[in-house]
């Protein structure tokens, strides 16, 4: 049997400060085009929306708070067929919980599932009934075995060849 403790490694989000500084600098230097008449979604992304979005990212978004929040979820990396894979593994306190695999599409990320991780893994803590039975006697609670980040998305790594991911 293979010792997986050496191939599955804990992962924490830790974006270098110089990358965040570079992003802030680029956002500060953003030049917006003149809005088209109506400045609405009919002709593309409205300039007013882009200005608001860039302002938020430049002046209000707290990346370090997001890192801290996301790092409360158990994250790991491993290598499969030469490809680095980032994933979450969230265990349920229910001993007979169903195993559940959640994956996201492109260009999504595991962040799409943040609101359902708690209710799925610990229904009792979220107003549910963890011991409610379904056919075959399995509990409704789930232990999320793998919540994978796809290649080239957020924390996913770039594929090393076509057909991976």
């Amino acid at each position: 049997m293979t010792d997986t403790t050496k191939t599955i490694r804990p992962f924490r989000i830790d974006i270098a400060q110089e990358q965040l500084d570079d992003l802030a600098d680029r956002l500060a230097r953003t030049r917006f085009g003149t809005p088209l008449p109506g400045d609405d979604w009919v002709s593309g992304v409205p300039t007013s929306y882009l200005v608001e979005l860039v302002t938020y990212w430049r002046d209000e978004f707290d990346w370090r708070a997001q890192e801290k929040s996301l790092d409360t979820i158990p994250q790991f990396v491993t290598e499969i067929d030469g490809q680095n894979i980032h994933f979450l593994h969230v265990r349920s306190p229910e001993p007979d919980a169903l195993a559940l695999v959640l994956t996201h599409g492109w260009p999504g990320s595991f962040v799409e599932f943040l609101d359902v991780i708690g209710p799925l893994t610990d229904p009792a803590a979220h107003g549910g009934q963890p011991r409610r039975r379904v056919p075959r006697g399995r509990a409704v609670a789930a232990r999320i075995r793998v919540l994978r980040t796809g290649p080239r998305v957020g924390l996913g790594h770039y594929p090393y060849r076509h057909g991976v991911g």
Side-chain angles (χ1 to χ4, degrees):
M1 185 166 182
T2 305
D3 178 12
T4 59
T5 59
K6 293 180 183 173
T7 58
I8 296 177
R9 303 171 310 279
F11 179 84
R12 295 188 60 77
I13 302 170
D14 185 21
I15 305 301
Q17 186 59 47
E18 58 263 9
Q19 289 179 310
L20 297 178
D21 293 343
D22 177 62
L23 175 60
D25 179 59
R26 286 186 282 145
L27 290 171
R29 292 183 290 113
T30 301
R31 294 172 36 194
F32 299 98
T34 304
L36 294 173
D39 196 29
D40 56 26
W41 291 93
V42 172
S43 302
V45 178
T47 303
S48 59
Y49 178 82
L50 285 177
V51 169
E52 186 178 326
L53 183 63
V54 167
T55 300
Y56 170 75
W57 273 91
R58 185 189 63 222
D59 300 336
E60 300 174 39
F61 186 79
D62 185 345
W63 177 254
R64 294 299 180 207
Q66 291 298 313
E67 274 184 342
K68 185 176 181 180
S69 175
L70 293 172
D71 280 342
T72 65
I73 303 165
Q75 300 176 60
F76 302 89
V77 290
T78 193
E79 185 178 307
I80 298 174
D81 292 336
Q83 175 66 48
N84 285 321
I85 303 294
H86 170 262
F87 64 96
L88 309 181
H89 184 178
V90 184
R91 297 178 183 270
S92 173
E94 299 299 321
D96 58 347
L98 293 169
L100 178 64
V101 175
L102 300 175
T103 60
H104 59 80
W106 187 88
S109 81
F110 72 90
V111 173
E112 296 171 18
F113 300 117
L114 293 179
D115 291 339
V116 299
I117 291 173
L120 285 173
T121 57
D122 193 359
H126 294 84
Q129 300 174 344
R131 296 282 182 198
R132 186 170 62 96
R133 299 292 173 182
V134 294
R136 297 191 179 158
R138 299 299 298 268
V140 173
R143 51 182 192 267
I144 299 178
R145 287 289 190 194
V146 177
L147 206 151
R148 182 177 158 265
T149 299
R152 302 178 77 142
V153 178
L155 302 171
H157 301 279
Y158 285 91
Y160 67 96
R161 62 178 166 80
H162 290 289
V164 174

